[in-house]
Amino acid sequence: MTTLTPLVHERDGHRLVAYDHGAHLAEWRVDGHPVVWLSPHAVLDGSAAIRGGVPLCFPWFGAGPEGDRSPSHGLVRTVSWHQDETDGEEVWAWTLSSEELDGETGAEHLEGPFDLRYAVSLLPRSAAGAFLRLELTVTNPSPVPLHVEAALHSYLAVADVRTVRVEGLDGAAYLDKVSGTRHVQDGDVTLHAETDRVYDTDAAAGLVVLDDGRALTVQPEGATQVVVWNPWETKAARMTDLPEDAWHRFVCVEAAATGCRGLVVQPLGSTRLACTIGVSTVSDGERLSAP
Ligand SMILES: O=P(O)(O)OC[C@H]1O[C@H](O)[C@H](O)[C@@H](O)[C@@H]1O
């Protein structure tokens, strides 16, 4: 049994923790308060995906487009990535190529070669709040287009998921994966039961999660969908890496591109899926916007 070595970065009121395992940003705290949430029972020995933080889902999401793939969410969140030189505001950067996945469970589902680079950056703090940027770059070294699914599966820390409001999805069509039915969002999203929805929107105007005096913002780039997930009480009770009642403490709002809205990386080209997460205090309906 190994214990994963955490990478820790502390600066200017920020505390970030990450692991090479899955290139996984596990925690982001600002002035001591969690913004990106890590389960206290997360498995940190390399034997499983880390519950919480921002799991990187690639090259498929869930069980994949036909529902027949494992491991869940692709095979890059459970392998060790290589640290790369950082640039500008990057705190960490990692690389991984498909060749290194030979022999891993699920490698038989890879549809073509790829080279990945993933970077976590902290933007300068400002009056607007604190901002963290996550950027996945997928390069296709082959002469044929590469079709993949991807998601930045951020677990946002909230006081109570039962009272949050997610703005920015009004009017978006979505698949409710719990019931298997399709709908169109009317107004803000509030959560009252197990929620697992895939919204067909690039969310270019950004998303705001309002929670107990804080505004958490999610600004996707290169996404074609947004996933909103919380397992709620019954499903959470079956998850061994979530303590009892911990499901109150997070809502996943994920920049994604799945199914027929997946990413297409042109021959010898690159595609980017990115997301900027922000936090600020709200008063009297004030909102923040990403810089
Ligand atoms: O337990 P995991 O494999 O990390 O997946 C956790 C969840 O991720 C996404 O939000 C999916 O839409 C859900 O269907 C899934 O249950």
Side-chain angles (χ1 to χ4, degrees):
M1 185 79 66
T2 53
T3 303
L4 297 174
T5 305
L7 306 169
V8 179
H9 180 87
E10 289 179 308
R11 149 159 70 100
D12 201 15
H14 295 281
R15 178 180 161 83
L16 298 176
V17 180
Y19 294 89
D20 293 337
H21 178 74
H24 200 125
L25 175 72
E27 279 187 79
W28 177 34
R29 287 176 179 263
V30 177
D31 299 332
H33 303 290
V35 181
V36 170
W37 184 87
L38 176 67
S39 171
H41 289 181
V43 176
L44 297 175
D45 65 6
S47 67
I50 297 168
R51 176 71 59 200
V54 187
L56 194 49
C57 308
F58 186 91
W60 61 84
F61 183 77
E66 273 87 46
D68 58 351
R69 298 185 186 183
S70 68
S72 171
H73 293 323
L75 63 173
V76 306
R77 68 172 181 163
T78 45
V79 298
S80 193
W81 291 50
H82 314 286
Q83 287 182 42
D84 192 22
E85 275 182 30
T86 54
D87 192 28
E89 292 161 338
E90 293 175 357
V91 175
W92 296 295
W94 295 269
T95 58
L96 187 72
S97 91
S98 53
E99 288 162 19
E100 300 171 79
L101 298 170
D102 280 355
E104 296 286 341
T105 306
E108 66 278 13
H109 296 301
L110 299 182
E111 290 181 6
F114 52 77
D115 296 307
L116 305 179
R117 186 174 191 274
Y118 182 59
V120 174
S121 304
L122 275 178
L123 308 189
R125 278 184 86 162
S126 69
F131 295 91
L132 173 91
R133 183 175 158 78
L134 306 166
E135 182 177 297
L136 174 69
T137 307
V138 185
T139 301
N140 174 7
S142 87
V144 290
L146 175 72
H147 295 260
V148 288
E149 297 183 305
L152 303 173
H153 191 313
S154 35
Y155 285 69
L156 302 178
V158 295
D160 191 332
V161 69
R162 295 167 295 187
T163 56
V164 303
R165 207 167 83 226
V166 183
E167 297 180 342
L169 293 168
D170 185 26
Y174 67 90
L175 170 66
D176 180 339
K177 287 170 65 182
V178 178
S179 63
T181 51
R182 292 197 67 88
H183 305 268
V184 174
Q185 181 64 37
D186 183 13
D188 296 338
V189 179
T190 53
L191 293 85
H192 307 286
E194 180 185 352
T195 302
D196 193 354
R197 297 182 182 175
V198 183
Y199 288 88
D200 289 339
T201 173
D202 60 9
L207 305 158
V208 183
V209 178
L210 291 167
D211 165 59
D212 196 31
R214 291 202 310 182
L216 306 179
T217 53
V218 176
Q219 178 65 64
E221 280 169 63
T224 58
Q225 295 169 318
V226 171
V227 180
V228 177
W229 179 69
N230 182 283
W232 228 254
E233 191 171 5
T234 306
K235 193 165 178 191
R238 295 198 297 264
M239 298 166 73
T240 52
D241 52 5
L242 272 186
E244 200 181 341
D245 289 346
W247 60 274
H248 299 178
R249 298 283 172 218
F250 67 85
V251 61
C252 290
V253 177
E254 313 163 30
T258 76
C260 59
R261 290 179 164 252
L263 301 176
V264 182
V265 193
Q266 293 307 321
L268 310 178
S270 292
T271 295
R272 196 176 61 180
L273 176 66
C275 177
T276 301
I277 302 173
V279 60
S280 75
T281 304
V282 278
S283 55
D284 301 332
E286 253 185 87
R287 301 286 152 74
L288 83 172
S289 52

